[in-house]
């Protein structure tokens, strides 16, 4: 098989490798070389690769019923919605296939809410450095110009403020702008693993401003949700409850599924015919979602995430504490970013040579998002290979 195929649209810069199979935190190329996957398909493979219980569940479901239309009741959706509602303490779920679609549903709900407030052109407050997807709506909501350039005209109706800056939002509230919602990642993923200085306070203040102004508070937990940060959802590091939360990535542990979860009042804005998705929440995807959540619970994976996150971060902090080229190491659970003081995308290739899969986001931030099943021995291998890769990279700059 040729790795470079001109019949694929060149929308990705791909690394010169492909994988044939996986097991746990490991993936194997065609020569059976074994790589530690510290990226999990970008926060997707919650249970690692080929988890036997997940394989059994989706195989069983596939042999019964893969897909039926949302014209009919789908039992697996009901079971998964029930679980998500319990975990989030919200009210109802709309299922789709990806993060950007979950966010499109949230944006549409925010628009409906704005019109209910009698705003003819309601705006949504979004963040610099935020990332919400690649559809026209979600790229317009995203913070980086690189996602938007060339796709003008963008969708209007977004007001952008710096992340973790309450004063900037108050300023907008005071100017009586027509706003219906704040849309924010509690921890920015693509933006560089940016954690608010005081997540409890930041989210609490956002909640207060939304309540005072009748705005919706929408959390994009597509990357930070499903146990990734050591809580079911990153916002649960605070006492704040959003009006809407979006999920995808880790929810199906590799099987595509997205979810937009809403509170009772916002749910009432949705009426038959207002939104839909052909594949959204089909029995196969939902069975993957149900099984992923069950295994996280049964195997105490959230506890493991906290433990392994601390283990990895401690080793990295120890090693790099006096290194002037490392600006900071930011982490919550297994969402880990190591920021260098200059662009460092070459580290990805160096790590690949050392049989470690990582990624660099926001040019200077090495990002780790290993599967939540990683154990201490594997975390140690991850750290050894990563330290080796970063040091090799830094040496090439001396
Ligand atoms: C926070 C966040 N929201 C939305 C998305 C878009 O998700 P998808 O690629 O599944 O559309 C991503 C993807 O990286 C993300 O990190």
């Amino acid at each position: 098989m040729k790795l470079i195929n001109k019949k694929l649209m060149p929308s990705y810069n791909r690394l010169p490798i492909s994988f044939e199979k996986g097991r746990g935190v490991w993936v194997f190329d065609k020569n059976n070389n074994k790589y530690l996957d510290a990226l999990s398909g970008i926060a997707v493979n919650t249970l690692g690769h080929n988890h036997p219980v997940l394989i059994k569940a989706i195989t069983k479901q596939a042999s019964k019923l893969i897909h039926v239309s949302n014209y009919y009741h789908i039992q697996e959706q009901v079971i998964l919605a029930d679980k998500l509602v319990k975990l989030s303490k919200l009210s109802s779920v709309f299922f789709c296939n990806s993060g950007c679609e979950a966010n499109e549903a949230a944006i549409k709900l925010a628009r409906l809410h704005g019109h209910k407030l009698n705003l003819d052109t309601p705006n949504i407050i979004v963040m610099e450095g935020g990332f919400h997807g690649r559809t026209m709506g979600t790229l317009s909501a995203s913070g980086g110009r690189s996602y938007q350039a060339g796709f003008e005209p963008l969708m209007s109706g977004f007001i952008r403020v710096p992340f973790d800056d309450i004063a900037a939002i108050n300023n907008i509230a005071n100017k009586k702008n027509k706003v219906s919602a704040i849309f924010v990642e509690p921890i920015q993923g693509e933006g560089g693993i940016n954690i608010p200085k005081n997540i409890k306070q930041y989210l609490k203040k956002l909640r207060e401003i939304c309540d005072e102004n009748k705005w919706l508070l929408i959390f994009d937990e597509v990357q930070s949700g499903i146990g990734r940060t050591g809580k079911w959802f990153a916002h649960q590091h605070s006492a704040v409850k959003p009006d809407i939360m979006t999920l995808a990535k880790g929810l199906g542990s590799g099987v595509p599924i997205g979810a937009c979860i809403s509170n009772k009042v916002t749910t009432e804005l949705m009426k038959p015919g207002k939104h839909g998705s052909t594949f959204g929440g089909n029995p196969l995807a939902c069975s993957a979602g149900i099984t992923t959540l069950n295994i996280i619970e049964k195997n105490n994976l959230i506890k493991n995430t906290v433990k392994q996150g601390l283990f990895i971060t401690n080793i990295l902090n120890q090693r790099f504490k006096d290194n002037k080229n490392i600006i900071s190491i930011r982490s919550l659970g297994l969402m880990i970013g190591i920021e260098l003081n200059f662009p460092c995308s070459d580290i990805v290739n160096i790590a690949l040579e050392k049989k470690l899969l990582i990624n660099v986001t926001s040019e200077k931030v090495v990002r780790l998002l290993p599967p939540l099943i990683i154990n201490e021995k594997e975390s140690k291998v991850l750290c050894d290979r990563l330290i080796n890769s970063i040091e090799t990279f830094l040496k090439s700059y001396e």
Side-chain angles (χ1 to χ4, degrees):
M1 184 193 65
K2 270 204 180 143
L3 284 183
I4 298 176
N5 187 332
K6 295 248 163 58
K7 296 194 183 86
L8 292 173
M9 227 183 250
S11 52
Y12 299 100
N13 267 327
R14 294 176 197 269
L15 292 161
I17 189 155
S18 74
F19 298 104
E20 302 237 313
K21 61 183 182 198
R23 193 182 342 109
V25 299
W26 306 98
V27 284
F28 300 80
D29 67 13
K30 67 174 189 314
N31 299 320
N32 223 23
N33 290 312
K34 188 175 164 185
Y35 294 73
L36 197 156
D37 184 359
L39 187 61
S40 309
I42 322 184
V44 167
N45 302 96
T46 309
L47 307 177
H49 298 274
N50 282 2
H51 193 289
V53 181
L54 179 65
I55 299 305
K56 200 170 160 198
I58 57 179
T59 306
K60 188 170 168 204
Q61 185 59 51
S63 69
K64 283 200 300 185
L65 187 66
I66 293 177
H67 178 86
V68 279
S69 159
N70 278 301
Y71 286 152
Y72 313 107
H73 291 279
I74 298 175
Q75 186 58 20
E76 294 76 15
Q77 270 188 29
V78 177
I79 298 169
L80 183 56
D82 199 50
K83 281 188 147 311
L84 289 171
V85 160
K86 278 204 186 97
L87 293 173
S88 63
K89 301 193 173 55
L90 290 169
S91 207
S92 72
V93 187
F94 172 81
F95 286 111
C96 49
N97 314 288
S98 64
C100 61
E101 284 173 86
N103 287 336
E104 286 288 342
I107 291 168
K108 284 176 80 173
L109 283 171
R111 287 267 173 106
L112 288 173
H113 177 71
H115 292 296
K116 193 175 128 191
L117 297 178
N118 286 323
L119 304 174
D120 47 356
T121 51
N123 290 294
I124 301 173
I125 295 178
V126 292
M127 304 298 147
E128 287 171 11
F131 182 73
H132 303 291
R134 301 285 194 160
T135 56
M136 281 310 300
T138 56
L139 75 83
S140 302
S142 295
R145 204 33 215 142
S146 63
Y147 308 123
Q148 299 169 344
F151 298 112
E152 298 80 1
L154 302 179
M155 194 174 113
S156 60
F158 298 106
I159 301 175
R160 191 155 293 111
V161 297
F163 183 62
D164 201 11
D165 185 343
I166 291 296
I169 297 179
N170 274 329
N171 194 22
I172 289 167
N174 293 338
K175 284 193 185 140
K176 302 268 171 264
N177 281 289
K178 296 172 183 173
V179 171
S180 68
I182 297 177
F183 184 26
V184 58
E185 296 157 84
I187 297 175
Q188 290 187 330
E190 301 304 300
I193 314 292
N194 299 321
I195 306 172
K197 273 187 254 23
N198 183 337
I199 190 167
K200 273 191 192 152
Q201 271 304 312
Y202 181 55
L203 300 187
K204 184 166 170 263
K205 287 278 175 213
L206 291 182
R207 182 70 274 175
E208 283 168 9
I209 297 172
C210 284
D211 290 345
E212 277 161 24
N213 293 282
K214 299 196 176 73
W215 300 346
L216 298 178
L217 181 57
I218 306 174
F219 288 151
D220 178 342
E221 295 246 20
V222 166
Q223 190 162 148
S224 59
I226 314 294
R228 170 68 39 202
T229 69
K231 298 273 184 195
W232 276 106
F233 311 112
H235 72 266
Q236 292 175 338
H237 289 280
S238 77
V240 168
K241 218 173 83 175
D243 299 297
I244 298 173
M245 168 175 66
T246 56
L247 299 172
K249 288 191 182 283
L251 177 56
S253 208
V255 178
I257 182 166
C260 175
I261 314 179
S262 141
N263 72 11
K264 193 162 179 296
V265 178
T266 321
T267 297
E268 281 162 15
L269 297 167
M270 191 55 83
K271 303 274 180 274
K274 286 244 176 265
H275 199 46
S277 160
T278 298
F279 291 115
N282 79 17
L284 184 70
C286 286
S287 76
I290 296 164
T291 311
T292 301
L293 300 184
N294 283 344
I295 296 174
I296 293 176
E297 241 161 12
K298 193 159 167 258
N299 295 359
N300 282 323
L301 292 185
I302 295 190
K303 206 167 148 203
N304 186 57
T305 298
V306 175
K307 192 173 158 206
Q308 300 307 322
L310 286 173
F311 180 80
I312 294 170
T313 311
N314 281 340
I315 294 180
L316 298 178
N317 274 325
Q318 276 298 317
R319 185 65 176 219
F320 290 125
K321 64 179 186 306
D322 297 322
N323 193 317
K324 61 181 187 331
N325 292 311
I326 309 287
I327 291 183
S328 73
I329 298 177
R330 302 186 284 270
S331 72
L332 205 50
L334 287 170
M335 197 167 178
I336 303 171
I338 302 132
E339 180 164 356
L340 274 69
N341 63 2
F342 46 87
C344 61
S345 58
D346 287 352
I347 293 179
V348 174
N349 288 301
I350 298 172
L352 189 66
E353 278 167 26
K354 300 185 191 303
K355 309 234 170 348
L356 175 68
L357 306 186
I358 55 164
N359 137 279
V360 166
T361 188
S362 230
E363 288 187 341
K364 297 180 192 168
V365 182
V366 176
R367 178 169 50 167
L368 306 176
L369 299 161
L372 308 193
I373 51 137
I374 194 166
N375 64 31
E376 197 160 300
K377 202 169 150 205
E378 293 158 345
S379 291
K380 180 78 178 53
V381 176
L382 188 165
C383 289
D384 289 346
R385 292 185 187 180
L386 180 68
I387 287 167
N388 197 331
S389 306
I390 293 178
E391 290 182 346
T392 305
F393 170 77
L394 290 176
K395 260 194 211 114
S396 70
Y397 269 77
E398 274 171 12

